[in-house]
Amino acid sequence: MSLEDLRNQKKGSYESVQDESDITYLNNGIFANNPDTFKEDDRIEEEKHLRNVLNTFLHYEIYSQNMNNKKKIDFKKLPENHKKLFPDVLNKLNTIDEYIKINTHFIKLMIQDYVPYDSDSTKLFQGRSLKQLEVDKVRSTLKQFARDWSDQGKIERDETYTPIINALLDFYKDIPEEERGELNILVPGAGLGRLAYDITKLGFSTQGNEFSFYMLLGSNFILNCMSEPKQFRIYPWIHSLSNSVKVEDQLESIDIPDVLPGNIPKNTNFSMVAGDFIEVYKTPSYKEYWDGIVTCFFMDTAKNILEYIELISQILKPNAVWINLGPLLYHFEDMYSEPSIELSLEEFFEAIKMFGFTIKESKRIETTYCCNQKSMLKYKYNCSFFVAVKNPDNSNNI
Amino acid sequence: MSLEDLRNQKKGSYESVQDESDITYLNNGIFANNPDTFKEDDRIEEEKHLRNVLNTFLHYEIYSQNMNNKKKIDFKKLPENHKKLFPDVLNKLNTIDEYIKINTHFIKLMIQDYVPYDSDSTKLFQGRSLKQLEVDKVRSTLKQFARDWSDQGKIERDETYTPIINALLDFYKDIPEEERGELNILVPGAGLGRLAYDITKLGFSTQGNEFSFYMLLGSNFILNCMSEPKQFRIYPWIHSLSNSVKVEDQLESIDIPDVLPGNIPKNTNFSMVAGDFIEVYKTPSYKEYWDGIVTCFFMDTAKNILEYIELISQILKPNAVWINLGPLLYHFEDMYSEPSIELSLEEFFEAIKMFGFTIKESKRIETTYCCNQKSMLKYKYNCSFFVAVKNPDNSNNI
């Protein structure tokens, strides 16, 4: 299925291997203000962007093999007395080559419906220089599968998704389970869709929103194209051999998905919308539409976090709930070509109140993000977690 | 004092504001195999390298002001209803401008003896593009001052230097304090010199070794040019506004040095040697020379860690001690143009034994490195700490 097909059918489901699937993918245009005003320039820009992402995915194999090959050369150049100490190193690197092939097979299946041409990556990359930063996004996507859809990711999901879900259940504890489908919950920055999916499984009608094509291609594949649990084995940790206690830690596989997506409760809708959060939801039809908004590691992806808070306030119903968990690692702070506003946590809270929210609960939760739990280095985020309710009287101070 | 002066006088002390100073700076040539064979090509390469570092230091002010200016522009471009929420943002950014000037003054004093020309950075940088990666090294140097020479750095020093020093004292507990000056302790990767200095203060004769000109310029300034404790106030955290709980956290100063370096115990030598660890210490005169080698966040700076272990084994006396603390974040792993060998921790330990060491103690210590302790994001290293003794019978298995 091409991007063109995807946009034209707007509310159509992807074809799914799961008969019971009712996961709808909407595409309002990544760069479009809204689907009705989607312009030719936007279409061209979007297709160029998608092609770059697909090229990068296809580039993964060559780039990874080159890097692994370099490790072999470096090892072979060692003095003889060093080489003989670790006779198994080349075996390990050959194993990594095999695992790169397995990861590549998985990636190619994931993107196959979107590659409208011969997927020979050597052809695609003629004249294109290797950029580590781009290939890092493919590696991050593989790690994101570990976080969202593997047994190993349960630690991070328990630390982050569980408190969010418990707060949502608590907030709507007076609504009977069979009526939860009437409550519409939005998950901006949905990534590979696990949090949105878990909320759906509890009976809430849920919409995930995501801007990144890396995540959109991944979430479509995992949500719509699986036929059994643990259908795929991939190797997300083979690209860094630093900070490992054991060689096996570097070679560890994950089996995905840990659960087979599907069996959405009756009267419950689940959809994923592609596009920029502001562009998609600023349309008047979403004004005071949502019964809950859940943001997890999302708010700091804003170029202007105040715009995010303001829009969340506008599209929530009065008395509806906003649950947030995340740090304030502003994604655009160091990018000279993009605007960025960096609030401290205290300023962030001031802004939340000024945009018409009352904070009901607030605490700090320490967690990692897409972390190999066995690594000697962990990035620990001391996240802000809060439950905020939109004031009924529109009493914001703006 | 120029680099040329520095090399020519080889064993001369830097002029110091401290009368009692006996800190000797040796320069064996950063790129030289040894000082006696220091070639013209090496000299040219080294001077080019030093000039680049000095240029980057001088570049700090313009680059930082540009980045801060961008933040002002981004703020001014906000919608009016957003701008009025945080009327103090421009004040904060103006304050950061002041702090950049204060940091710049400190940096210029630090490098002034090495800048043989007009230090007008606008002239120096004609035709040179801004590279964030390089300026990051200046920022890292400022943070390194926090780690090594501020009250705020005590947390990290207690977590890392204290167990190392305690192990060294324990290993040589039978040597009377007044005889410790006869024991020669080497600290490769000495950074800004605090660990080497603290070991010296206990009476051991200590030599720090460092390759980076950023660190060498910094350690010379702090060790030789201070006249009182807390002489300088600098602002190491102003360059990232992400992950701050309070605005004040971003603006926090450090007063350096927390202690005034000097008053080295009698019969104790303290020196710092510039140059690559392998190049400096592979000369025959260092064979079985050292009574102790202390490596802290150093081993993973190797292109070939086996070469480091082998050399440590060669230059330690029989029955002498090697104390190590650090992760395995191999610095060259992702650099395509440089060789790199990545051992797991288990393989690292195998290698230590094979090069003729017996491990007497081993544990894991969790710590951070140059971390703003108030940040919502911390890189936590679950370090390996060990005490190893060189076998007396040269019983290595190589």
Side-chain angles (χ1 to χ4, degrees):
Chain A
M1 182 180 290
S2 75
L3 183 68
E4 194 63 21
D5 298 334
L6 179 59
R7 193 167 43 250
N8 287 340
Q9 66 165 24
K10 284 194 188 107
K11 294 212 173 219
S13 294
Y14 281 133
E15 190 183 343
S16 170
V17 292
Q18 295 165 250
D19 289 340
E20 75 282 21
S21 169
D22 53 359
I23 300 162
T24 309
Y25 259 66
L26 312 175
N27 187 325
N28 289 348
I30 293 282
F31 295 100
N33 285 353
N34 80 54
D36 304 326
T37 60
F38 198 64
K39 294 189 200 104
E40 180 63 12
D41 283 356
D42 293 331
R43 194 189 62 75
I44 292 168
E45 192 59 33
E46 181 174 298
E47 293 215 339
K48 193 174 142 197
H49 183 50
L50 177 61
R51 189 154 40 238
N52 274 338
V53 170
L54 293 171
N55 276 341
T56 308
F57 270 124
L58 291 170
H59 199 178
Y60 164 82
E61 184 174 20
I62 291 177
Y63 187 89
S64 303
Q65 280 174 344
N66 281 350
M67 290 304 287
N68 202 43
N69 206 37
K70 175 194 171 281
K71 288 185 198 289
K72 290 183 198 173
I73 293 166
D74 288 347
F75 181 77
K76 286 175 186 164
K77 282 184 182 166
L78 285 182
E80 286 302 325
N81 66 328
H82 291 175
K83 250 189 292 195
K84 74 176 185 191
L85 295 181
F86 294 101
D88 292 334
V89 166
L90 285 180
N91 287 340
K92 176 181 79 175
L93 295 172
N94 287 333
T95 301
I96 289 177
D97 268 341
E98 288 306 307
Y99 291 173
I100 290 169
K101 278 185 197 148
I102 293 170
N103 285 349
T104 301
H105 176 71
F106 173 78
I107 287 168
K108 285 191 172 170
L109 284 175
M110 183 167 85
I111 64 174
Q112 65 183 355
D113 289 340
Y114 299 90
V115 181
Y117 33 65
D118 174 8
S119 67
D120 177 352
S121 48
T122 53
K123 278 190 199 168
L124 277 167
F125 279 92
Q126 276 173 357
R128 211 163 163 254
S129 67
L130 307 180
K131 285 187 192 158
Q132 191 186 333
L133 197 66
E134 292 174 45
V135 178
D136 274 349
K137 290 183 182 165
V138 181
R139 297 175 177 183
S140 295
T141 306
L142 296 175
K143 291 177 194 164
Q144 197 86 24
F145 278 108
R147 174 177 172 85
D148 262 18
W149 295 101
S150 81
D151 288 339
Q152 289 92 330
K154 190 170 183 301
I155 295 172
E156 288 186 3
R157 295 196 302 274
D158 285 350
E159 285 169 347
T160 55
Y161 299 167
T162 300
I164 289 171
I165 287 169
N166 286 342
L168 185 64
L169 287 171
D170 185 61
F171 189 81
Y172 282 118
K173 61 177 178 288
D174 296 334
I175 308 288
E177 193 174 336
E178 61 278 12
E179 292 174 25
R180 282 185 198 147
E182 291 162 32
L183 296 169
N184 289 306
I185 310 297
L186 178 63
V187 185
L192 292 184
R194 180 57 177 268
L195 176 58
Y197 173 76
D198 282 351
I199 292 171
T200 311
K201 288 288 280 183
L202 292 167
F204 298 96
S205 285
T206 312
Q207 186 165 96
N209 164 236
E210 178 57 54
F211 177 79
S212 160
F213 274 129
Y214 293 95
M215 293 296 110
L216 288 164
L217 292 162
S219 62
N220 174 52
F221 190 54
I222 204 95
L223 290 170
N224 286 322
C225 307
M226 298 294 116
S227 56
E228 55 179 334
K230 311 204 168 177
Q231 188 175 344
F232 289 98
R233 174 164 290 181
I234 60 173
Y235 300 86
W237 316 117
I238 52 174
H239 303 296
S240 169
L241 304 188
S242 282
N243 286 313
S244 295
V245 176
K246 298 166 187 284
V247 170
E248 306 90 89
D249 298 347
Q250 306 163 341
L251 304 178
E252 194 171 88
S253 62
I254 58 166
D255 293 333
I256 57 169
D258 61 321
V259 294
L260 182 65
N263 289 317
I264 304 297
K266 271 186 202 169
N267 307 320
T268 298
N269 291 313
F270 181 28
S271 56
M272 290 283 283
V273 172
D276 173 78
F277 173 59
I278 299 289
E279 298 302 320
V280 172
Y281 295 100
K282 75 180 183 187
T283 56
S285 56
Y286 283 121
K287 189 170 187 314
E288 301 197 342
Y289 179 86
W290 300 97
D291 299 286
I293 295 181
V294 154
T295 48
C296 182
F297 279 80
F298 173 70
M299 296 304 290
D300 52 8
T301 66
K303 290 176 186 170
N304 172 8
I305 192 171
L306 295 168
E307 207 177 12
Y308 275 19
I309 304 169
E310 186 173 37
L311 186 59
I312 288 170
S313 176
Q314 286 166 357
I315 64 178
L316 270 178
K317 287 178 186 163
N319 292 311
V321 68
W322 171 24
I323 304 165
N324 175 69
L325 188 149
L328 292 173
L329 181 59
Y330 295 103
H331 285 32
F332 293 96
E333 179 172 15
D334 284 330
M335 291 177 69
Y336 202 80
S337 57
E338 301 283 354
S340 176
I341 300 296
E342 300 90 19
L343 302 187
S344 70
L345 185 60
E346 284 188 349
E347 290 171 327
F348 179 39
F349 272 82
E350 278 178 54
I352 292 164
K353 289 171 195 162
M354 286 190 283
F355 278 108
F357 288 95
T358 300
I359 293 168
K360 296 290 180 186
E361 185 192 346
S362 169
K363 62 180 174 181
R364 302 283 285 280
I365 291 178
E366 191 173 74
T367 187
T368 53
Y369 192 85
C370 295
C371 174
N372 180 350
Q373 297 296 333
K374 294 180 178 167
S375 174
M376 294 167 76
L377 168 58
K378 291 182 185 174
Y379 292 14
K380 293 238 176 159
Y381 296 91
N382 194 351
C383 293
S384 165
F385 170 83
F386 64 77
V387 179
V389 176
K390 182 175 164 181
N391 298 334
D393 51 357
N394 245 339
S395 67
N396 78 49
N397 303 316
I398 312 302
Chain B
M1 183 179 289
S2 74
L3 183 68
E4 193 65 21
D5 297 334
L6 179 57
R7 194 167 42 249
N8 287 340
Q9 65 166 27
K10 283 195 189 102
K11 295 214 174 217
S13 295
Y14 281 133
E15 190 182 344
S16 170
V17 292
Q18 295 165 249
D19 289 340
E20 75 280 22
S21 169
D22 53 0
I23 300 162
T24 309
Y25 259 65
L26 311 176
N27 188 324
N28 289 346
I30 293 283
F31 295 100
N33 285 355
N34 81 55
D36 304 325
T37 61
F38 198 63
K39 294 190 201 103
E40 179 63 13
D41 284 356
D42 293 331
R43 193 189 64 74
I44 292 169
E45 190 60 33
E46 180 174 298
E47 293 215 340
K48 194 175 142 196
H49 182 51
L50 176 62
R51 189 153 39 238
N52 275 338
V53 171
L54 293 171
N55 276 343
T56 307
F57 270 124
L58 291 170
H59 199 178
Y60 165 82
E61 184 174 21
I62 292 178
Y63 187 90
S64 303
Q65 279 174 345
N66 281 349
M67 289 305 286
N68 202 42
N69 206 37
K70 175 195 172 280
K71 288 184 198 291
K72 292 182 195 171
I73 292 166
D74 288 346
F75 181 77
K76 286 175 186 165
K77 282 184 181 166
L78 284 182
E80 286 302 324
N81 67 329
H82 291 175
K83 251 189 294 195
K84 73 176 186 192
L85 295 181
F86 293 101
D88 293 334
V89 166
L90 285 180
N91 287 340
K92 176 181 80 176
L93 295 174
N94 286 334
T95 301
I96 288 176
D97 269 340
E98 288 307 306
Y99 291 173
I100 290 168
K101 278 184 199 150
I102 293 170
N103 285 349
T104 301
H105 176 71
F106 173 79
I107 287 167
K108 285 191 172 171
L109 285 176
M110 183 167 84
I111 64 174
Q112 65 183 355
D113 289 340
Y114 299 90
V115 181
Y117 33 65
D118 174 9
S119 67
D120 177 353
S121 48
T122 53
K123 278 190 199 168
L124 278 167
F125 279 92
Q126 276 173 0
R128 213 165 161 253
S129 67
L130 307 181
K131 284 187 191 157
Q132 192 186 335
L133 197 66
E134 292 174 45
V135 179
D136 274 350
K137 290 184 183 166
V138 182
R139 296 175 178 185
S140 294
T141 306
L142 296 175
K143 290 176 194 165
Q144 197 87 24
F145 278 108
R147 174 178 172 85
D148 261 18
W149 295 101
S150 81
D151 288 338
Q152 289 92 330
K154 189 171 184 300
I155 294 171
E156 289 185 2
R157 296 196 301 273
D158 285 349
E159 287 170 346
T160 53
Y161 299 167
T162 300
I164 288 172
I165 286 169
N166 287 342
L168 185 64
L169 286 172
D170 185 62
F171 190 81
Y172 283 117
K173 61 178 179 288
D174 295 334
I175 308 289
E177 193 174 337
E178 61 277 13
E179 292 174 24
R180 282 185 197 146
E182 290 162 33
L183 296 170
N184 289 305
I185 310 296
L186 177 63
V187 185
L192 292 183
R194 182 57 178 268
L195 176 58
Y197 173 75
D198 283 352
I199 292 171
T200 311
K201 287 289 280 184
L202 292 167
F204 297 97
S205 285
T206 311
Q207 185 165 97
N209 164 237
E210 178 58 53
F211 177 79
S212 161
F213 274 129
Y214 294 95
M215 294 297 111
L216 288 164
L217 291 162
S219 62
N220 175 53
F221 190 53
I222 204 93
L223 291 170
N224 286 324
C225 307
M226 298 293 116
S227 56
E228 55 181 333
K230 310 205 169 176
Q231 188 175 343
F232 289 97
R233 174 165 289 181
I234 60 172
Y235 300 86
W237 316 117
I238 52 174
H239 303 296
S240 169
L241 305 187
S242 283
N243 286 312
S244 295
V245 176
K246 299 166 186 283
V247 171
E248 306 90 89
D249 298 347
Q250 307 162 340
L251 304 179
E252 193 170 272
S253 62
I254 59 165
D255 294 331
I256 57 170
D258 61 321
V259 294
L260 181 64
N263 288 320
I264 304 296
K266 270 187 203 170
N267 307 319
T268 298
N269 291 314
F270 181 28
S271 56
M272 290 284 282
V273 172
D276 173 77
F277 172 59
I278 298 289
E279 297 303 321
V280 172
Y281 295 100
K282 74 181 183 187
T283 55
S285 54
Y286 282 121
K287 190 170 188 314
E288 302 198 342
Y289 178 87
W290 301 97
D291 300 286
I293 296 181
V294 154
T295 49
C296 183
F297 279 80
F298 172 71
M299 295 305 290
D300 52 7
T301 66
K303 291 177 185 171
N304 172 9
I305 193 172
L306 295 169
E307 207 177 13
Y308 276 19
I309 303 169
E310 186 173 35
L311 186 59
I312 289 171
S313 175
Q314 286 165 357
I315 65 179
L316 271 178
K317 287 179 185 162
N319 291 312
V321 67
W322 171 23
I323 303 166
N324 176 68
L325 188 149
L328 292 173
L329 180 60
Y330 294 103
H331 286 31
F332 293 95
E333 178 171 16
D334 284 331
M335 290 177 70
Y336 202 80
S337 56
E338 300 283 355
S340 176
I341 300 296
E342 300 90 19
L343 300 188
S344 70
L345 185 60
E346 284 188 349
E347 290 171 325
F348 179 38
F349 272 82
E350 276 177 57
I352 292 165
K353 289 170 196 162
M354 288 190 283
F355 279 107
F357 288 95
T358 299
I359 292 168
K360 296 289 182 188
E361 185 191 346
S362 169
K363 62 179 175 180
R364 301 284 285 278
I365 291 178
E366 192 173 74
T367 188
T368 53
Y369 193 86
C370 295
C371 175
N372 180 349
Q373 297 296 332
K374 293 180 177 166
S375 174
M376 295 167 75
L377 168 57
K378 291 182 185 173
Y379 293 12
K380 292 237 176 158
Y381 297 90
N382 193 352
C383 293
S384 165
F385 170 83
F386 64 76
V387 179
V389 177
K390 182 175 165 182
N391 298 334
D393 51 356
N394 245 338
S395 67
N396 79 50
N397 303 313
I398 311 304

